[in-house]
Amino acid sequence: MSSTELPSVPATTALPKVAPVRVADGERLRSVGLPGITLSVRSRPPAREGLPPALYVHGLGGSSQNWSALMQQLEGVVDGEAIDLPGFGDSPPPDDGDYSVTGHARAVIRFLDAAGRGPVHLFGNSLGGAVSTRVAALRPDLVRTLTLVSPALPEIRVQRTAVPTALLALPGVTTLFTRFTKEWSAEERVRGVTALCYGDPGRVTPEGFRNAVEEMERRLQLPYFWDALTRSARGVVNAYTLGGQHGLWRQAERVLAPTLLVYGGRDQLVGFRMAQRAARAFRDSRLLTLPNAGHVAMMEYPDTVARAFCELLGEAGEPAAGVPSGAPASVAAAASPDGGGPVVDDGEAAAESAGS
């Protein structure tokens, strides 16, 4: 191993005492031990018995808390659980140190197989979108529908604002970055992340900001925090370079489940222009575009994303009771490539309903 490589931090390493992970009112947090991994699972009791299961997968640097708002919106529609991927949130690192997209997908599959809840309505954001795409392609028996919010699928021309995140994958960059930013407070770090991920940082409530600062302070005390972030970033970059049947775009074409794609017009990490390509790649897709949203539309506009998901259920022949009230989400159904190409909604109605 070169001197610029980060050593892997095994899950058995003695960890310092840190503040407990925040659990919002109505949520539950439990730990699930599986071969080679231990996953923290966040859930809300369903509004009633018999609701179909759903699983939420967060993005790079995120956690299951990223889905709390959407989970609450959909508690009358699905029986939802959100996992912390290995090394993130309250989940310790994987025993094998594998933070590749395939490694994370393997963790999701192990969890679903062990839980016996499949097929599920699978949600993924950013890195979680790439992971969920791979899961849906490899194990169609586990996925009922697929909802992807700004999925990290390969781009030839990466946005300039996404370059610093991609650079974390390079050996030595994380060490330099941590030295450069060691004096930054948790508040400064959260402001930076919010400015990068939100289309309008002003939508973050004071309480939400305080909670994010508290979580940032907790994460910075974890000895594997930067290792997990760096190796997962490297995993995304490596996945971008794969071709053939292992390429993410090729796997997107293999997804059988009805798919909802959500893209933000102010996303600084995933190019808004990729929406049309994604709509063509997924054979049974619907596209929701939100011009004012950033990289985490499910956090900025959870009501709009929830209504779009309920529309997806209806089109897939699963009418949803307990649908969140409000205007339609203006989801455009994407035609198959031989049907004239996708119809991409301009998102104006969605943006209006989200801002109401």
Side-chain angles (χ1 to χ4, degrees), residues 253 259 261 275-287 315 331-345:
E253 294 170 354
T259 301
L261 302 163
Q276 295 190 40
R277 180 174 182 181
R280 290 192 296 268
F282 290 89
R283 66 178 69 188
D284 185 9
S285 67
R286 292 93 178 141
L287 178 62
E315 292 179 15
V331 181
S336 62
D338 58 354
V343 179
V344 182
D345 180 70

Side-chain angles (χ1 to χ4, degrees), residues 33-339:
L34 298 167
I37 54 173
T38 299
L39 299 178
S40 179
V41 182
R42 185 179 302 268
S43 62
R44 295 186 68 90
R48 64 184 185 282
E49 294 294 327
L51 291 178
L55 184 69
Y56 303 85
V57 186
H58 64 80
L60 182 67
S63 75
S64 58
Q65 294 185 60
N66 295 160
W67 296 103
S68 289
L70 185 61
M71 286 177 66
Q72 185 171 10
Q73 288 281 332
L74 293 176
E75 64 183 351
V77 180
V78 296
D79 182 358
E81 295 182 327
I83 63 170
D84 288 326
L85 291 172
F88 293 93
D90 205 33
S91 294
D95 288 353
D96 60 5
D98 185 357
Y99 290 102
S100 66
V101 171
T102 297
H104 285 311
R106 188 180 301 118
V108 172
I109 290 171
R110 284 178 184 170
F111 174 74
L112 289 174
D113 277 338
R117 281 164 47 93
V120 300
H121 296 292
L122 185 60
F123 294 73
N125 169 236
S126 191
L127 164 64
V131 170
S132 297
T133 297
R134 185 149 290 174
V135 171
L138 297 177
R139 291 291 304 275
D141 59 305
L142 294 178
V143 182
R144 201 164 179 164
T145 65
L146 183 64
T147 297
L148 304 177
V149 182
S150 295
L153 300 175
E155 300 182 46
I156 296 176
R157 292 184 296 110
V158 179
Q159 298 184 97
R160 286 183 299 173
T161 46
V163 170
T165 302
L167 288 176
L168 287 177
L170 297 178
V173 171
T174 299
T175 301
L176 292 174
F177 181 76
T178 53
R179 288 176 183 171
F180 178 74
T181 63
K182 68 178 182 179
E183 300 301 326
W184 289 11
S185 66
E187 290 87 349
E188 290 172 317
R189 295 176 189 272
V190 170
R191 287 193 187 95
V193 170
T194 301
L196 181 64
C197 292
Y198 275 70
D200 177 11
R203 294 186 70 87
V204 180
T205 65
E207 180 184 8
F209 183 80
R210 289 194 299 270
N211 292 338
V213 170
E214 178 183 293
E215 175 62 12
M216 179 63 73
E217 291 173 337
R218 188 192 71 84
R219 292 185 189 186
L220 290 172
Q221 296 179 58
L222 298 173
Y224 55 81
F225 171 73
W226 288 110
D227 183 72
L229 187 65
T230 300
R231 292 179 185 273
S232 292
R234 190 172 300 158
V236 172
V237 172
N238 289 342
Y240 276 28
T241 65
L242 291 177
Q245 63 178 345
H246 300 295
L248 284 170
W249 285 115
R250 181 67 63 84
Q251 292 189 328
E253 294 170 354
R254 292 167 53 189
V255 172
L256 301 177
T259 301
L260 171 64
L261 302 163
V262 183
Y263 281 82
R266 296 181 179 177
D267 194 330
Q268 299 181 65
L269 294 171
V270 169
F272 186 64
R273 64 184 178 278
M274 302 306 295
Q276 295 190 40
R277 180 174 182 181
R280 290 192 296 268
F282 290 89
R283 66 178 69 188
D284 185 9
S285 67
R286 292 93 178 141
L287 178 62
L288 172 64
T289 59
L290 297 170
N292 295 321
H295 192 59
V296 287
M298 74 287 187
M299 299 175 72
E300 286 192 88
Y301 301 110
D303 52 344
T304 306
V305 175
R307 290 195 297 275
F309 171 71
C310 292
E311 288 183 19
L312 173 70
L313 291 187
E315 292 179 15
E318 299 187 36
V323 176
S325 61
S330 298
V331 181
S336 62
D338 58 354

